Amino acid sequence: MNHLGTNFYEAVSVILFGIGFMNLLLQNNLIKKFIGLNIMDTAVYLFLAAQGYIFGRVAPILTDGVVDATYYVNPIPAGLVLTGIVVSVSITAFSLALVQRLYKHYGSLNMDEIMKLSREEEGE
């Protein structure tokens, strides 16, 4: 682990977030949009993990009788990341189920085509 004060992991997380955001905006395929959303989620988790780690400290598991808090990293960011992953997986599963229903109904995963077909249905 590099402790020279560089923000390598933070920079990578910002780049990943940008890639996911552009994918979310520019793709018409719904599956690709959700892949972009998951890339954005991963970027946020990387950023939280990078912010929560302090070089030279260890996980907060009491060993060797060390009870000084300055010896351990804060466990809150790791808990937030785990909670976020659970929520992200749930949202992805629900979203893919909705995409499957849209595909069965409209026969396409293209967002523009689905919007066009739904407007035609409303006009009937």
Side-chain angles (χ1 to χ4, degrees), residues 2-105:
N2 189 0
H3 64 284
L4 300 175
T6 60
N7 294 332
F8 176 75
Y9 295 106
E10 290 85 350
V12 169
S13 68
V14 169
I15 291 168
L16 276 175
F17 192 88
I19 290 170
F21 188 68
M22 293 308 293
N23 194 19
L24 191 64
L25 289 178
L26 299 177
Q27 295 292 332
N28 283 330
N29 187 310
L30 289 174
I31 300 291
K32 292 179 181 177
K33 282 185 179 285
F34 286 114
I35 290 172
L37 187 66
N38 282 325
I39 292 171
M40 290 170 57
D41 288 343
T42 303
V44 171
Y45 305 146
L46 175 62
F47 186 79
L48 283 172
Q51 291 299 311
Y53 182 76
I54 300 171
F55 184 79
R57 294 189 184 182
V58 296
I61 300 169
L62 296 178
T63 57
D64 301 328
V66 178
V67 293
D68 186 20
T70 60
Y71 185 71
Y72 302 109
V73 294
N74 188 354
I76 300 297
L80 288 173
V81 168
L82 287 173
T83 303
I85 290 170
V86 170
V87 171
S88 176
V89 167
S90 302
I91 289 173
T92 300
F94 181 72
S95 300
L96 290 176
L98 289 177
V99 167
Q100 183 182 20
R101 293 286 307 243
L102 282 170
Y103 183 76
K104 283 182 180 179
H105 186 73

Side-chain angles (χ1 to χ4, degrees), residues 103-116:
Y103 183 76
K104 283 182 180 179
H105 186 73
Y106 294 110
S108 176
L109 292 176
N110 187 316
M111 190 67 186
D112 294 334
E113 191 173 327
I114 291 172
M115 293 300 291
K116 184 178 113 182

